Amino acid sequence: SQQGEEDPQALSIQEGENATMNCSYKTSINNLQWYRQNSGRGLVHLILIRSNEREKHSGRLRVTLDTSKKSSSLLITASRAADTASYFCATAFSSGGSYIPTFGRGTSLIVHP
Amino acid sequence: TAGITQAPTSQILAAGRSMTLRCTQDMRHNAMYWYRQDLGLGLRLIHYSNTAGTTGKGEVPDGYSVSRANTDDFPLTLASAVPSQTSVYFCASSAGLADYTDTQYFGPGTRLTVL
């Protein structure tokens, strides 16, 4: 499998705390993306970081990328109950001239009010 | 804007029966994808299409077929359903950018139970 792997599988925190999720992947990448999934819904794109970038911010989200370690982290600062969701990292690898997206198994985040 | 729609929302299907899951997007995206999501396994790619008229196999294609007759529609067919195909199925689309910076847009999913 070409999947990335998120860590931890589950995370439970209090509102106001920071949440950090990690993603490791196997192949060389052009970019890495993070998605969010609310229970019973489709995934929603959060942020993309290119392979030549080391850090990127979007609102309360901070993403880092370490291509030497083939890993990325997603930090959600000052978490809110509404951040409760599953978070997935996604990469893509080239196969036979096509771009094949692949998702990790996800981190389930619960933020207690 | 509807974005990407899937039908049906849910379905209970007898083993051995066939079924087509429908997916339509109105964003004129080149690329479309079908995933299945099972507890503990995340999303796994079944089939994809980079552009109308072409399709490719993903990680778990066995037991499924797709077609891409036009830009908007990407149906997924189970020819003879088996209980292991019980899952939530998500369709997604993306612009199909050459530099692979595509954002995927997901449909709401179809929950399929095969008995």
Side-chain angles (χ1 to χ4, degrees), chain B residues 36 62-64 78 80-89 112-114:
Chain B
R36 60 177 290 173
D62 294 343
Y64 306 95
L78 288 68
S80 180
V82 296
S84 62
Q85 292 178 308
T86 294
S87 188
V88 181
Y89 291 85
L112 178 66
T113 302
V114 182

Side-chain angles (χ1 to χ4, degrees), chain A residues 3-9 21-23 32-39 41-47 63 72 74 85-91 102-109, chain B residues 36-44 90 106:
Chain A
Q3 278 187 334
E5 295 290 340
E6 287 91 346
D7 171 61
Q9 290 186 350
M21 289 157 268
N22 303 296
C23 169
L32 184 143
Q33 304 184 41
W34 284 92
Y35 287 78
R36 165 192 169 127
Q37 182 181 34
N38 286 71
S39 180
R41 303 286 191 95
L43 279 69
V44 175
H45 181 260
L46 292 176
I47 194 166
V63 170
S72 173
L74 171 67
S86 291
Y87 293 82
F88 296 85
C89 66
T91 60
T102 179
F103 287 78
R105 292 181 170 85
T107 292
S108 175
L109 172 66
Chain B
R36 60 177 290 173
Q37 185 175 32
D38 303 290
L39 193 64
L41 294 178
L43 274 80
R44 292 182 291 169
F90 288 99
F106 282 79

Side-chain angles (χ1 to χ4, degrees), chain B residues 40-87:
Chain B
L41 294 178
L43 274 80
R44 292 182 291 169
L45 183 66
I46 304 171
H47 285 286
Y48 65 93
S49 169
N50 287 333
T51 188
T54 69
T55 63
K57 293 182 179 180
E59 183 184 354
V60 289
D62 294 343
Y64 306 95
S65 64
V66 292
S67 62
R68 188 87 185 277
N70 58 61
T71 297
D72 299 343
D73 301 300
F74 191 43
L76 176 74
T77 297
L78 288 68
S80 180
V82 296
S84 62
Q85 292 178 308
T86 294
S87 188

Side-chain angles (χ1 to χ4, degrees), chain A residues 41-109:
Chain A
R41 303 286 191 95
L43 279 69
V44 175
H45 181 260
L46 292 176
I47 194 166
L48 177 150
I49 185 165
R50 295 176 183 264
S51 59
N52 61 355
E53 298 176 311
R54 292 296 170 258
E55 187 172 313
K56 200 161 183 181
H57 297 256
S58 176
R60 293 184 296 113
L61 304 181
R62 173 180 171 250
V63 170
T64 62
L65 180 64
D66 187 334
T67 54
S68 67
K69 296 181 179 178
K70 291 186 168 62
S71 67
S72 173
S73 67
L74 171 67
L75 169 67
I76 303 174
T77 60
S79 63
R80 305 166 181 169
D83 294 328
T84 294
S86 291
Y87 293 82
F88 296 85
C89 66
T91 60
F93 64 94
S94 180
S95 177
S98 293
Y99 153 58
I100 310 297
T102 179
F103 287 78
R105 292 181 170 85
T107 292
S108 175
L109 172 66

